[in-house]
């Protein structure tokens, strides 16, 4: 995705002057938020293909079935595989040859009644769980009798993907052109394309005056009416069927949040189900998906009401930011955290130990367009550059070099300067307490990560470090918070500063498998982690 997508780092704001000529009113950077990545744009069809290719390569026992519709869904309590799904493979006959019915891009053909009458190949699947991502008109949601609440706007938008022929000077930035009663968005895409969103009141050429805009080719176009809706539930009463993506929340497509938030929904529920199916977590753990993702869905819909109004040149409604209207600069300053996928889970649960005070501080910072300082329970861990203890390899602490986002919980031990006897003794004490915890549960669910501030060149693999690692087992990895100065690795404490950790007191941090912080506390407080 990084290789094929179009990278952009700026959002340019434009408006017509009194004579109707366009001028740039400001430029906003997208690189203001704590992430190792920046923004890319890539067509949803290609994103789906990349994921399918990965599944086919890595998961030989997993099958992707195209051109399949669901005709029946029922849940029978008390059975090992309680969900029964009845499917039908959609086929058509052309010149005497029967093939699966699908468009050229591999997406199944929808709503073809004649095709459905002649289709064959029925199948019944028995499952422990079902996750339905079947879109805004979700068949599954209707079968479960779950309502969608919301309304449509009276604004009609047009959208097209074009290879531009223009003298507009800012085609590879994200551009917002705003005026009274109209809006125009130009989004850079892969292969030199531009996606154009515009309200259907004036032509694009009129809005970009005095610049010329035409196109060499148009790969796709559509017209749509903006609506914002959210489902009243995202889990059925049996706790076996889950809804995700557009089946839960619908909104305007301009900010690209449909597929982004939809993927986050699925990831949020799947790591929970994975633990339950492997019998590493209690069966009620997946229920926490509802409270976390419905709040995110509501925040998204609230955000979109204001974003769609702003992009259309309409007054912004009361909602996400608690004010009736904003300047465009102020508005985009504040919505960046939403588009960056930065959320705070607002309530404590069996998976997240939050406090009301910490949440209020975090929400206040986010509403100002800033990332809260330090480590915030209920948010993702920020990235930091560190070094591997054993070979001084430079790694990203939250990246796959240090630990992957798999199905394991991470216990992070910030143990400070291990050259001091007290800190060495404290590390051994914590290791002994954690080894007892690991012996009680499935050890493969936990990954122990130690981050210290002592120079590994001086420290070496000392006996106390080796003994702690031996006590904790093979899942333990050790890292050093340092930096390179004149080719020599020295202690810096930069990561400790990023995470607001006192090197003398240390910290114990529990990360969920999705790298959201579940707990932050005293280094020796293993009892709270266990609870």
């Amino acid at each position: 995705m990084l290789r094929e997508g179009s990278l952009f780092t700026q959002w340019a704001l434009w408006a017509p002057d009194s004579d109707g000529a366009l001028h740039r009113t400001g430029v906003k950077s997208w690189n203001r938020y704590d992430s190792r990545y920046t923004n890319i744009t890539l067509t949803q069809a290609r994103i789906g293909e990349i994921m399918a290719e990965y599944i086919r390569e890595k998961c030989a026992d997993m099958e992707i079935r195209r051109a399949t519709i669901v005709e029946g869904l029922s849940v029978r309590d008390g059975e090992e595989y309680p969900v029964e799904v009845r499917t039908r493979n959609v086929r058509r006959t052309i010149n005497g040859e029967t093939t699966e019915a699908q468009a050229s891009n591999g997406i199944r053909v929808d709503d073809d009644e004649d095709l459905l009458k002649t289709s064959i190949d029925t199948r019944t699947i028995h499952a422990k769980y079902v996750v339905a991502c079947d879109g805004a008109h979700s068949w599954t949601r209707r079968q479960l009798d779950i309502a969608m609440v919301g309304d449509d706007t009276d604004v009609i938008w047009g959208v097209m993907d074009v290879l531009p022929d223009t003298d507009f000077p800012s085609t590879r930035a994200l551009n917002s052109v705003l005026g009274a009663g109209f809006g125009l968005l130009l989004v850079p895409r892969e292969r030199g394309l531009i996606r154009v969103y515009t309200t259907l009141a004036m032509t694009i050429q009129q809005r970009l005056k005095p610049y010329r805009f035409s196109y060499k080719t148009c790969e796709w176009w559509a017209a749509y009416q903006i609506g914002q809706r959210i489902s009243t539930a995202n889990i059925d009463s049996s706790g076996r069927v889950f809804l995700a993506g557009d089946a839960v929340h619908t909104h305007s497509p301009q900010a690209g949040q449909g597929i982004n938030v939809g993927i986050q929904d699925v990831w949020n529920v799947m790591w929970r189900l994975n633990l339950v199916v492997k019998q590493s977590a209690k069966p009620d753990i997946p229920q926490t998906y509802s409270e976390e993702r419905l709040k995110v869905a509501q925040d998204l819909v609230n955000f979109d009401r204001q974003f769609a109004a702003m992009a259309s040149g309409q007054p912004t409604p009361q909602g996400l930011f608690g004010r009736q209207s904003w300047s465009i600069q102020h508005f985009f300053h504040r919505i960046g955290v939403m588009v960056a996928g930065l959320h705070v889970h607002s309530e404590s649960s069996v998976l997240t130990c939050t406090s009301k005070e910490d949440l209020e501080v975090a929400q206040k910072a986010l509403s100002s367009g800033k990332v809260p300082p330090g480590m915030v329970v209920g948010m993702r861990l920020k990235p930091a550059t560190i070094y591997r203890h054993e070979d001084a390899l430079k790694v990203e602490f939250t990246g796959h070099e240090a630990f992957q986002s798999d199905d394991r919980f991470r216990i992070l031990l910030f143990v400070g300067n291990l050259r001091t006897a007290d800190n060495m003794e404290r590390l051994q004490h914590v290791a002994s307490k954690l080894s007892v915890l690991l012996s009680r549960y499935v050890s493969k669910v936990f990954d122990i990560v130690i981050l210290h501030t002592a120079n590994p060149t001086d420290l070496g693999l000392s006996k106390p470090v080796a003994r702690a690692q031996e006590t904790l087992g093979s899942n333990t990895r050790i890292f050093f918070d340092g930096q390179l100065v004149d080719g020599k690795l020295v202690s810096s404490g930069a990561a400790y500063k990023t995470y607001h950790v006192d090197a003398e007191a240390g910290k114990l941090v529990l990360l969920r498998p999705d790298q959201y912080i579940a707990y932050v506390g005293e280094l020796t407080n293993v009892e709270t982690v266990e609870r």
Side-chain angles (χ1 to χ4, degrees), residues 228-335:
Q228 290 105 1
R229 290 182 173 82
I230 183 172
S231 67
T232 54
N234 57 5
I235 307 178
D236 79 320
S237 58
S238 72
R240 294 285 180 168
V241 183
F242 297 79
L243 301 175
D246 287 0
V248 179
H249 40 77
T250 61
H251 44 83
S252 65
Q254 289 102 321
Q257 292 305 288
I259 189 171
N260 280 280
V261 177
I263 290 173
Q264 292 167 20
D265 287 345
V266 175
W267 174 229
N268 190 285
V269 69
M270 288 310 300
W271 68 260
R272 289 164 160 83
L273 294 181
N274 192 37
L275 289 173
V276 172
V277 169
K278 291 183 176 181
Q279 299 183 333
S280 299
K282 295 179 179 180
D284 60 350
I285 289 293
Q287 305 304 309
T288 59
Y289 163 76
S290 178
E291 59 199 56
E292 289 189 2
R293 298 310 297 178
L294 274 182
K295 178 189 179 298
V296 171
Q298 187 62 66
D299 288 346
L300 175 62
V301 168
N302 291 345
F303 151 74
D304 190 69
R305 288 194 177 106
Q306 299 201 38
F307 181 83
M310 181 70 74
S312 304
Q314 307 292 327
T316 56
Q318 190 80 11
L320 185 63
F321 303 132
R323 278 182 58 176
Q324 185 62 29
S325 62
W326 297 84
S327 69
I328 186 65
Q329 289 86 353
H330 199 182
F331 182 82
F332 282 112
H333 173 69
R334 292 192 170 220
I335 69 171

Side-chain angles (χ1 to χ4, degrees), residues 60-306:
D61 60 343
M62 186 179 295
E63 179 186 11
I64 300 175
R65 292 177 64 91
R66 298 283 191 185
T68 300
I69 63 171
V70 179
E71 294 187 313
L73 175 70
S74 60
V75 181
R76 299 176 181 178
D77 293 333
E79 298 186 9
E80 184 179 3
Y81 296 88
V83 189
E84 181 179 280
V85 182
R86 299 183 301 281
T87 70
R88 182 149 47 114
N89 206 36
V90 181
R91 296 171 180 264
R92 61 164 41 129
T93 301
I94 302 176
N95 298 327
E97 183 177 349
T98 301
T99 61
E100 287 191 350
Q102 57 186 25
S104 59
N105 61 1
I107 306 301
R108 80 167 195 231
V109 177
D110 291 326
D111 301 326
D112 190 330
E113 295 299 328
D114 293 334
L115 181 61
L116 298 183
K117 292 175 184 177
T118 59
S119 62
I120 57 177
D121 190 14
T122 60
R123 188 183 192 188
T124 299
I125 301 169
H126 295 276
K128 291 186 177 182
Y129 298 96
V130 166
V131 180
C133 323
D134 50 345
H137 303 287
S138 170
W139 178 92
T140 310
R141 188 186 63 237
R142 296 198 302 270
Q143 286 292 111
L144 299 175
D145 197 26
I146 295 176
M148 287 285 275
V149 179
D151 49 37
D152 294 319
T153 69
D154 57 1
V155 179
I156 305 297
W157 279 76
V159 55
M160 60 182 183
D161 289 334
V162 300
L163 189 63
D165 179 10
T166 180
D167 60 355
F168 184 67
S170 182
T171 56
R172 302 321 294 173
L174 179 61
N175 295 277
S176 295
V177 181
L178 299 174
F182 76 82
L184 172 66
L185 294 177
L186 303 177
V187 184
R189 293 288 296 271
E190 68 279 7
R191 297 182 288 112
L193 294 169
I194 291 180
R195 171 159 289 188
V196 181
Y197 293 101
T198 179
T199 49
L200 298 181
M202 299 168 64
T203 68
I204 298 171
Q205 183 64 67
Q206 287 174 302
R207 287 176 182 151
L208 288 180
K209 187 177 105 176
Y211 302 107
R212 176 182 56 81
F213 188 91
S214 185
Y215 57 86
K216 300 174 183 177
T217 58
C218 176
E219 291 199 351
W220 175 81
W221 66 270
Y224 61 90
Q225 185 177 20
I226 292 176
Q228 290 105 1
R229 290 182 173 82
I230 183 172
S231 67
T232 54
N234 57 5
I235 307 178
D236 79 320
S237 58
S238 72
R240 294 285 180 168
V241 183
F242 297 79
L243 301 175
D246 287 0
V248 179
H249 40 77
T250 61
H251 44 83
S252 65
Q254 289 102 321
Q257 292 305 288
I259 189 171
N260 280 280
V261 177
I263 290 173
Q264 292 167 20
D265 287 345
V266 175
W267 174 229
N268 190 285
V269 69
M270 288 310 300
W271 68 260
R272 289 164 160 83
L273 294 181
N274 192 37
L275 289 173
V276 172
V277 169
K278 291 183 176 181
Q279 299 183 333
S280 299
K282 295 179 179 180
D284 60 350
I285 289 293
Q287 305 304 309
T288 59
Y289 163 76
S290 178
E291 59 199 56
E292 289 189 2
R293 298 310 297 178
L294 274 182
K295 178 189 179 298
V296 171
Q298 187 62 66
D299 288 346
L300 175 62
V301 168
N302 291 345
F303 151 74
D304 190 69
R305 288 194 177 106
Q306 299 201 38

